[in-house]
Amino acid sequence: MEAKPNGQNVLCRAGEHAVTLEHMGRFRQLVWEMGEKHRRDGLPWRFIDDPYQVYVSEAMLQQTQVSRVLKHWPRFLAAFPTVDALASASVSDVLEEWQGLGYNRRALALKRAADECSAKHGGCMPDTYEELLALPGIGPATAAGIMAFAYQKPGIYIETNVRSVFIHHFFPDSEKVTDSQLRPLVECACDGDYPREWYYALLDYGAALKAQGINPNRRSTSYTRQSSFEGSHRQKRSFVLQQVLAQPGVGFEALLASINEFERKAGRDNLLECELMALVEELVSEGFFEREGDGFVSR
């Protein structure tokens, strides 16, 4: 790491180190070269300027393997080809199409964002970072990703692979690197003319590092090891949701019987009534389904 804290060519800082124009120039050149070398041309959501389609891809790619998204992205868009189509769909239909991707909250976030875009933005995704960020479920990374990939507008886009590249090069010996340390680097490294291609290069380079067994993201404060799905609270939530989607109006006793049969087959103890009730109330409060008479239905 070069350190010239008083030099006129200092561009930004990485922790205690000053990053010079020369250093950043070499870094950019390396990213372009490695991005070209490891370019993933088979990703269908690349080089499209439809912000809705980009948003769907960004939502799906969070915490989900690319290979799985490749199967679900075209299918989801075939079912809901536009913002208005998604907004007019039922929650149950959206959740049905989402099955297999996990983390169902992302599907609800997509639906709620589409509802707002349809009601307030004429069925279009906003074209400013601030308006995107104001939509339900869209955070800084997703908003910056939509701006870069759909609108060719530079911004601070930090996700797992991007984070890995910057930690690998600017914090090679550091632990617990924060995104606040990375933001000035990501911002000044971004190519203002070709942000879409720049971030594609970073994503592909970061994916290549991981494929080589190099995972600097583990030294980020944002890194959390994903817990096992088998037997987890997430699995129980998913099971209950699938039962409600498959059997609209299913009652509490039937849910209790089916989930306990599932648990016993897996060699686990039965759920108590109070445990299932807490889980059901959790799903109802989040909007996955609602009570209707003595049963539960997803709208």
Side-chain angles (χ1 to χ4, degrees):
M1 174 68 67
E2 299 177 12
K4 296 184 180 180
N6 298 315
Q8 294 182 352
N9 64 344
V10 169
L11 186 62
C12 55
R13 294 182 177 275
E16 299 178 353
H17 303 283
V19 179
T20 66
L21 290 168
E22 293 84 356
H23 187 185
M24 185 59 76
R26 290 196 296 272
F27 171 72
R28 286 171 174 156
Q29 183 62 36
L30 177 63
V31 170
W32 284 121
E33 291 174 357
M34 297 302 289
E36 178 65 23
K37 179 178 179 180
H38 300 286
R39 187 170 62 186
R40 295 175 291 178
D41 287 327
L43 304 182
W45 47 83
R46 290 201 166 176
F47 298 103
I48 58 175
D49 56 9
D50 184 324
Y52 168 66
Q53 294 184 13
V54 170
Y55 175 35
V56 173
S57 72
E58 286 294 298
M60 288 186 173
L61 287 164
Q62 296 168 13
Q63 299 174 297
T64 303
Q65 294 178 342
V66 170
S67 59
R68 188 175 297 178
V69 176
L70 282 168
K71 298 176 182 178
H72 286 267
W73 184 77
R75 192 182 76 185
F76 191 91
L77 289 175
F80 315 112
T82 65
V83 168
D84 284 337
L86 183 58
S88 63
S90 66
V91 170
S92 59
D93 285 345
V94 175
L95 291 171
E96 284 281 6
E97 288 297 333
W98 193 265
Q99 294 308 294
L101 285 166
Y103 295 97
N104 292 296
R105 288 188 184 95
R106 294 176 297 166
L108 283 185
L110 271 170
K111 166 68 173 158
R112 288 166 179 163
D115 291 344
E116 188 157 325
C117 288
S118 185
K120 298 181 179 180
H121 298 283
C124 299
M125 297 287 295
D127 60 2
T128 70
Y129 175 82
E130 291 74 18
E131 287 178 303
L132 287 168
L133 198 59
L135 292 175
I138 292 188
T142 301
I146 295 170
M147 291 303 296
F149 301 135
Y151 296 120
Q152 259 304 15
K153 300 292 184 182
I156 305 174
Y157 177 62
I158 302 178
E159 61 79 72
T160 301
N161 287 332
V162 172
R163 190 181 287 117
S164 291
V165 173
F166 278 88
I167 293 175
H168 182 62
H169 284 277
F170 292 100
F171 299 91
D173 303 313
S174 300
E175 299 290 335
K176 297 183 179 179
V177 180
T178 66
D179 280 358
S180 63
Q181 291 174 281
L182 299 179
R183 284 190 191 99
L185 293 167
V186 176
E187 182 176 25
C188 52
C190 183
D191 189 306
D193 295 323
Y194 302 101
R196 172 195 288 168
E197 291 78 7
W198 169 250
Y199 281 120
Y200 287 162
L202 277 168
L203 290 168
D204 292 345
Y205 183 17
L209 287 175
K210 187 174 182 180
Q212 295 165 16
I214 304 170
N215 191 359
N217 190 55
R218 291 175 179 169
R219 295 189 281 110
S220 164
T221 57
S222 299
Y223 175 76
T224 54
R225 185 180 296 276
Q226 187 173 347
S227 59
S228 173
F229 182 70
E230 185 63 29
S232 68
H233 183 68
R234 286 190 296 122
Q235 187 183 41
K236 292 177 176 61
R237 281 171 55 100
S238 178
F239 181 87
V240 170
L241 177 58
Q242 288 172 9
Q243 293 299 303
V244 174
L245 292 174
Q247 307 173 64
V250 63
F252 182 82
E253 294 300 325
L255 282 177
L256 184 64
S258 60
I259 195 170
N260 280 338
E261 180 182 3
F262 177 75
E263 292 294 293
R264 287 193 300 272
K265 286 181 178 179
R268 296 187 290 266
D269 294 336
N270 285 347
L271 263 69
L272 300 175
E273 287 191 17
C274 61
E275 292 175 318
L276 179 59
M277 182 60 71
L279 192 154
V280 166
E281 292 297 339
E282 182 180 291
L283 290 166
V284 168
S285 68
E286 292 176 20
F288 284 102
F289 51 79
E290 59 189 46
R291 295 179 181 275
E292 185 178 86
D294 295 328
F296 302 94
V297 295
S298 180
R299 295 299 186 188

